[in-house]
Amino acid sequence: ETGVTQSPTHLIKTRGQQVTLRCSSQSGHNTVSWYQQALGQGPQFIFQYYREEENGRGNFPPRFSGLQFPNYSSELNVNALELDDSALYLCASNPGGVTDTQYFGPGTRLTVL
Amino acid sequence: SQQGEEDPQALSIQEGENATMNCSYKTSINNLQWYRQNSGRGLVHLILIRSNEREKHSGRLRVTLDTSKKSSSLLITASRAADTASYFCATDHSGAYSGAGSYQLTFGKGTKLSVIP
């Protein structure tokens, strides 16, 4: 158990819709990162938040956005869903600073039809 | 894009045998980490090796790192059926972005390990 939870577990949306995925980090973990994992691939970094501000972004378009809240929860929002957005979305947290290990949640499986 | 590449893509062994997985990467790193993933669920951190370390052990796991060859290997000794999972290496590129605590992990495509009872 990593102490990181995600909701919902599964989600089905249609192309063009918007979706919000949620993550609850361990208390004291100031950094949260989001990853997208397509079937048969490794996770790809979407972006990272540190103390409620975006602190780095991977090669993802602006329709992927996020929020981090003071209570160690965070959201990943995806607008104008495309079929290729179908994937497992993972959030990972750590205490921030120089700590290296990231603690991953169980993921949300998003299917776009 | 994914920097790390695991080899082999799939590995099937008998229970009790050793399993070796390899990972190669392209640019310099601060550390390299190995993760396990069961059935497309969350990732579990196994072991971290820093760029100035050559070998590290944790229980039945042994990781080596060769920064001159930009490669790492993960050895699981005396494998068990419960070790069946996908294994990923991930490289840490701290400092790629500004801000405290700022870093991202770059994952490979993984090795799918099957341990047959």
Side-chain angles (χ1 to χ4, degrees):
Chain A
E1 285 295 327
T2 62
V4 180
T5 59
Q6 291 185 245
S7 63
T9 305
H10 296 90
L11 199 53
I12 299 174
K13 290 285 189 178
T14 55
R15 195 170 47 183
Q17 284 189 312
Q18 178 266 342
V19 69
T20 297
L21 310 182
R22 293 181 172 83
C23 171
S24 179
S25 306
Q26 288 189 35
S27 178
H29 282 201
N30 295 316
T31 302
V32 65
S33 303
W34 285 89
Y35 291 81
Q36 180 196 65
Q37 185 178 20
L39 202 61
Q41 302 292 315
Q44 289 205 327
F45 176 76
I46 302 175
F47 47 56
Q48 181 179 89
Y49 277 78
Y50 175 69
R51 292 185 174 173
E52 301 163 47
E53 290 193 7
E54 186 176 298
N55 197 36
R57 173 176 278 265
N59 191 25
F60 280 81
R63 60 189 185 83
F64 286 78
S65 64
L67 287 171
Q68 185 186 26
F69 303 102
N71 64 352
Y72 306 109
S73 66
S74 59
E75 290 180 356
L76 164 65
N77 298 290
V78 186
N79 294 322
L81 283 167
E82 300 176 0
L83 298 180
D84 285 349
D85 295 333
S86 294
L88 181 69
Y89 288 85
L90 298 159
C91 74
S93 71
N94 78 17
V98 298
T99 303
D100 302 296
T101 301
Q102 297 207 51
Y103 299 85
F104 281 84
T108 293
R109 173 74 61 187
L110 173 65
T111 301
V112 182
L113 302 175
Chain B
S1 63
Q2 297 184 285
Q3 173 170 183
E5 290 290 336
E6 287 91 342
D7 169 57
Q9 290 186 326
L11 180 62
S12 184
I13 59 174
Q14 296 288 330
E15 202 166 29
E17 292 181 337
N18 295 342
T20 299
M21 289 160 264
N22 303 297
C23 168
S24 61
Y25 56 92
K26 296 175 184 173
T27 59
S28 62
I29 60 172
N30 292 307
N31 65 63
L32 185 145
Q33 305 177 32
W34 285 89
Y35 286 82
R36 186 179 91 176
Q37 185 176 42
N38 286 42
S39 302
R41 298 302 288 167
L43 293 159
V44 175
H45 182 264
L46 295 176
I47 197 164
L48 179 153
I49 186 164
R50 301 189 186 283
S51 59
N52 61 353
E53 297 176 311
R54 292 297 167 257
E55 188 170 312
K56 206 159 182 181
H57 296 255
S58 176
R60 294 184 295 114
L61 306 179
R62 172 179 166 249
V63 168
T64 61
L65 179 65
D66 186 337
T67 53
S68 66
K69 294 182 179 178
K70 293 186 171 60
S71 67
S72 173
S73 68
L74 170 68
L75 168 68
I76 304 174
T77 60
S79 64
R80 305 166 182 169
D83 294 330
T84 295
S86 291
Y87 292 81
F88 295 90
C89 71
T91 48
D92 174 8
H93 302 273
S94 299
Y97 304 96
S98 62
S102 167
Y103 68 88
Q104 69 180 70
L105 291 177
T106 304
F107 286 84
K109 293 184 179 181
T111 291
K112 195 166 187 176
L113 173 66
S114 298
V115 181
I116 303 165

